Amino acid sequence: MQSYVNESAVRLLARKIFTKYCCECPVDVKELISYIGIDVYYADPPLPFGILGTFMPVSDNYSNGLILIQPGLSLSRERFTLAHELYHALMSPKDLSFFSSDQQALKAHEREANIFASELLMPKSKVLAAYNFGCRTVSSFAEIFWVSKQAMKIRLQEVGLGFLVEKGGNFGENQEKYFF
């Protein structure tokens, strides 16, 4: 099992999924997952502390499966968790589990799932387009992409817009121009 993160391949996969399924921003993650043939359920009883979601394969080829999500998450946290679990559904090796003895490989795979979720929910091209249309605050970007401010701050840094400072939640004069 490789234990390094192949960031460019993970981002490419997210872009291919975004394009193949004609996604728009904000991405309807539940609809996308459903279209791929994976069911989403809220865990009852709730998942153990610290676990926000989990993918459970139903078939050997992962063409179907089940994502259990922790109930009561904020919309932005739920969306990111669903996108993260979608990566596990698409790419999880059979020999790697939450209880794996190869913790380095597990950490790398979790990092890849976060990169995938970030790219799927906040595609670089769409983030830059929002900036070009006049979006200038973390809050505004977060509202456009339906993600948390923390996730948006990280993504802005990744796409070269880390210099933007938080000024509030206003879209400003160009609010109606944000169509992605």
Side-chain angles (χ1 to χ4, degrees), residues 83-149:
H84 175 104
E85 295 305 325
L86 176 58
Y87 179 78
H88 290 311
L90 298 171
M91 300 301 295
S92 286
K94 294 177 185 176
D95 60 342
L96 188 64
S97 75
F98 194 73
F99 304 104
S100 175
S101 60
D102 189 349
Q103 289 299 303
Q104 187 176 3
L106 182 60
K107 285 180 183 180
H109 190 68
E110 288 298 313
R111 173 76 180 121
E112 288 174 347
N114 285 337
I115 291 167
F116 175 86
S118 175
E119 187 70 35
L120 181 67
L121 298 176
M122 302 167 279
K124 181 178 182 177
S125 64
K126 303 299 184 182
V127 172
L128 295 176
Y131 177 78
N132 290 335
F133 275 109
C135 190
R136 294 294 185 269
T137 67
V138 174
S139 291
S140 295
F141 279 101
E143 288 178 34
I144 291 168
F145 294 98
W146 292 6
V147 296
S148 69
K149 288 180 187 178

Side-chain angles (χ1 to χ4, degrees), residues 27-89:
V27 175
D28 187 335
V29 186
K30 281 185 180 177
E31 182 178 303
L32 173 61
I33 289 170
S34 176
Y35 191 78
I36 291 173
I38 299 168
D39 296 318
V40 175
Y41 293 98
Y42 292 97
D44 185 20
L47 297 170
F49 180 76
I51 300 176
L52 302 179
T54 187
F55 170 71
M56 298 168 42
V58 172
S59 64
D60 289 339
N61 64 4
Y62 298 121
S63 63
N64 292 310
L66 169 69
I67 293 175
L68 287 177
I69 190 91
Q70 189 73 279
L73 298 176
S74 69
L75 176 63
S76 59
R77 181 73 257 177
E78 181 178 300
R79 288 169 37 75
F80 197 91
T81 300
L82 287 170
H84 175 104
E85 295 305 325
L86 176 58
Y87 179 78
H88 290 311

